[in-house]
Amino acid sequence: MKSLVLFKTLELLSLFLLIPFSMIATRPGIANTLNTLTDTEQPNRLKLTLSGHTGPVRALTLSLNDQVLASGSDDKTIKLWNPTTGVLLRTLTGHRERIKSILITSDNQTLISTSFDNTIKFWNTQTGNEIRTIVEKTGITAMLLTPDGQTLISGSGDHTIKFRNLKTRKIDRILKVETTALVISHDGKTLYSGGENGGKIRVWSMVTGKQLRSFTPPLPKKENLINGSKQAAAPITLAISNDDKMLLSGAYDDSFQSDPFISTDGKSFKAWDLNTGKLVHNFWLSTINALIISPDSKTFITGGLGSEILLYDIKTAKSVMKLAGHAGGIYGLALSSDGKILYSGSGDKSIKVWQIKP
């Protein structure tokens, strides 16, 4: 039954993507609190615009040494850029469908990508050559590397999470659970997975592979329920603070629709205190496609179907900054190691480089 509800949510999302953003009503309680940059401030924030992709930019990642920015697009290519100058270093071709996600290993030598062609590919970042391909017939839903860089963890459409040892190339562990988003604690001890409608996030021990607990948002009040169908959507993206104290989730929102087609609780952003297990923030931010946390764990940044990038204080959830300049939805975000430079990928086929701190 959960799979059917998830399918319904994804089906509605695919329909929503066809609707121009201008047709979506904004909620005054959120939009009016944002600090919009003035015409004189905005150009100072925007440092570069990188052009070259011929399709929406869906994924971004930055190497740990901040020397390479990688972007994945609907044009089926991955591009490597010099993030300081904006110079295109090389283009990786080989996927047969749109790029879903990309990672760069801690030694900066290998890029790992997933695509709608149901493959995981490994690339040499220095030469651009394809090293290896893994086929996942049911598709890849989420992917991450452990902090030690030794294990690739991926969620699959067959409702499993696989742990692949990158040295031995063997699968060391399989968890039986549906997955739409993954994140791992910075100490490498705990894995968090989201995947079920109802917004449940499961917490796993990296040592034993056993589920430790779960976080489930409350249902809406009875007067807001329609045939018992409204609930939190499955997370699209998860993020954890560097101090491992806060877990954030972003999800699909369908509140723009008319009943009885609304299935979500209309609260696409949620934040959990990992020490107490309490839900500390639970509010509307439209559909969230990208979500990251600053290195100092004080700010979170979101991108979604709107063309603006939003920055918030992680404790109070009050707006800090709004970055406008893209002409399409925001699908990928990356942040420099010092938290000063922000990179954004958009449906307008461009990547923008922003200076958010001096």
Side-chain angles (χ1 to χ4, degrees), residues 180-198:
T180 54
L182 292 169
V183 72
I184 194 168
S185 60
H186 291 84
D187 61 14
K189 296 180 180 179
T190 310
L191 177 71
Y192 301 86
S193 70
E196 298 177 53
N197 279 321

Side-chain angles (χ1 to χ4, degrees), residues 140-214:
I140 302 93
T141 57
M143 176 180 70
L144 60 79
L145 282 169
T146 53
D148 61 13
Q150 296 181 12
T151 304
L152 177 69
I153 303 175
S154 62
S156 300
D158 60 1
H159 295 177
T160 65
I161 300 174
K162 297 181 177 68
F163 295 67
R164 286 185 171 88
N165 187 303
L166 293 184
K167 289 185 177 180
T168 65
R169 298 190 175 186
K170 293 182 179 180
I171 297 176
D172 292 336
R173 176 182 293 157
I174 297 178
L175 303 179
K176 297 287 187 179
V177 64
E178 56 186 292
T179 307
T180 54
L182 292 169
V183 72
I184 194 168
S185 60
H186 291 84
D187 61 14
K189 296 180 180 179
T190 310
L191 177 71
Y192 301 86
S193 70
E196 298 177 53
N197 279 321
K200 178 183 286 187
I201 299 170
R202 297 178 184 269
V203 185
W204 307 86
S205 167
M206 285 293 294
V207 176
T208 65
K210 294 182 178 180
Q211 183 177 327
L212 302 175
R213 62 193 302 192
S214 64

Side-chain angles (χ1 to χ4, degrees), residues 7 26 79 81 87 92 112 118 140 149 156 163 165 182 188 190 219 223 237 264 268 271 294 297 309 333 337:
F7 175 79
T26 58
K79 293 184 181 294
W81 312 82
V87 171
L92 312 182
I112 307 171
N118 297 345
I140 302 93
S156 300
F163 295 67
N165 187 303
L182 292 169
T190 310
L219 288 171
E223 57 266 29
T237 180
T264 74
S268 56
S294 61
S297 301
I309 302 159
L333 293 171
S337 57

Side-chain angles (χ1 to χ4, degrees), residues 48-51 69 80-89 343 353:
L48 289 170
T49 295
L50 311 183
S51 301
L69 175 71
L80 305 184
W81 312 82
N82 180 313
T84 303
T85 65
V87 171
L88 178 62
L89 303 175
Y343 305 87
V353 182

Side-chain angles (χ1 to χ4, degrees), residues 119-136:
T119 65
I120 303 173
K121 288 185 181 291
F122 296 75
W123 312 81
N124 184 308
T125 58
Q126 305 304 309
T127 66
N129 293 333
E130 184 179 326
I131 302 169
R132 178 188 175 204
T133 296
I134 297 172
V135 177
E136 281 282 359

Side-chain angles (χ1 to χ4, degrees), residues 25-292:
T26 58
R27 299 190 182 189
I30 297 295
N32 293 341
T33 65
L34 297 174
N35 299 321
T36 304
L37 298 176
T38 66
D39 290 339
T40 56
E41 289 177 315
Q42 189 71 56
N44 293 332
R45 298 286 186 185
L46 179 59
K47 296 302 179 182
L48 289 170
T49 295
L50 311 183
S51 301
H53 282 296
T54 58
V57 180
R58 299 286 181 180
L60 284 181
T61 193
L62 191 66
S63 62
L64 288 182
N65 62 3
D66 289 349
Q67 297 299 304
V68 177
L69 175 71
S71 58
S73 169
D74 282 6
D75 64 14
K76 307 175 188 178
T77 71
I78 299 158
K79 293 184 181 294
L80 305 184
W81 312 82
N82 180 313
T84 303
T85 65
V87 171
L88 178 62
L89 303 175
R90 57 186 52 87
T91 298
L92 312 182
T93 58
H95 278 297
R96 292 175 288 103
E97 295 293 343
R98 296 174 291 156
I99 308 300
K100 294 182 70 174
S101 59
I102 46 178
L103 299 169
I104 295 177
T105 55
S106 56
D107 62 5
N108 306 312
Q109 298 299 306
T110 306
L111 183 142
I112 307 171
S113 61
T114 68
S115 164
F116 282 90
D117 63 11
N118 297 345
T119 65
I120 303 173
K121 288 185 181 291
F122 296 75
W123 312 81
N124 184 308
T125 58
Q126 305 304 309
T127 66
N129 293 333
E130 184 179 326
I131 302 169
R132 178 188 175 204
T133 296
I134 297 172
V135 177
E136 281 282 359
K137 293 182 179 180
T138 57
I140 302 93
T141 57
M143 176 180 70
L144 60 79
L145 282 169
T146 53
D148 61 13
Q150 296 181 12
T151 304
L152 177 69
I153 303 175
S154 62
S156 300
D158 60 1
H159 295 177
T160 65
I161 300 174
K162 297 181 177 68
F163 295 67
R164 286 185 171 88
N165 187 303
L166 293 184
K167 289 185 177 180
T168 65
R169 298 190 175 186
K170 293 182 179 180
I171 297 176
D172 292 336
R173 176 182 293 157
I174 297 178
L175 303 179
K176 297 287 187 179
V177 64
E178 56 186 292
T179 307
T180 54
L182 292 169
V183 72
I184 194 168
S185 60
H186 291 84
D187 61 14
K189 296 180 180 179
T190 310
L191 177 71
Y192 301 86
S193 70
E196 298 177 53
N197 279 321
K200 178 183 286 187
I201 299 170
R202 297 178 184 269
V203 185
W204 307 86
S205 167
M206 285 293 294
V207 176
T208 65
K210 294 182 178 180
Q211 183 177 327
L212 302 175
R213 62 193 302 192
S214 64
F215 300 122
T216 304
L219 288 171
K221 294 180 180 180
K222 289 184 178 179
E223 57 266 29
N224 295 327
L225 288 172
I226 299 176
N227 298 324
S229 62
K230 281 189 180 180
Q231 56 185 336
I236 293 174
T237 180
L238 295 172
I240 193 167
S241 59
N242 277 353
D243 56 15
D244 287 334
K245 291 182 179 180
M246 293 285 285
L247 175 69
L248 312 184
S249 71
Y252 166 62
D253 168 60
D254 61 0
S255 59
F256 69 95
Q257 298 198 59
S258 300
D259 292 333
F261 301 105
I262 300 174
S263 62
T264 74
D265 62 359
K267 298 176 179 179
S268 56
F269 175 79
K270 293 173 170 59
W272 304 85
D273 185 316
L274 293 179
N275 290 326
T276 65
K278 292 183 178 180
L279 181 64
V280 294
H281 299 310
N282 186 22
F283 57 86
W284 177 86
L285 272 182
S286 187
T287 293
I288 300 175
N289 295 312
L291 174 63
I292 56 176

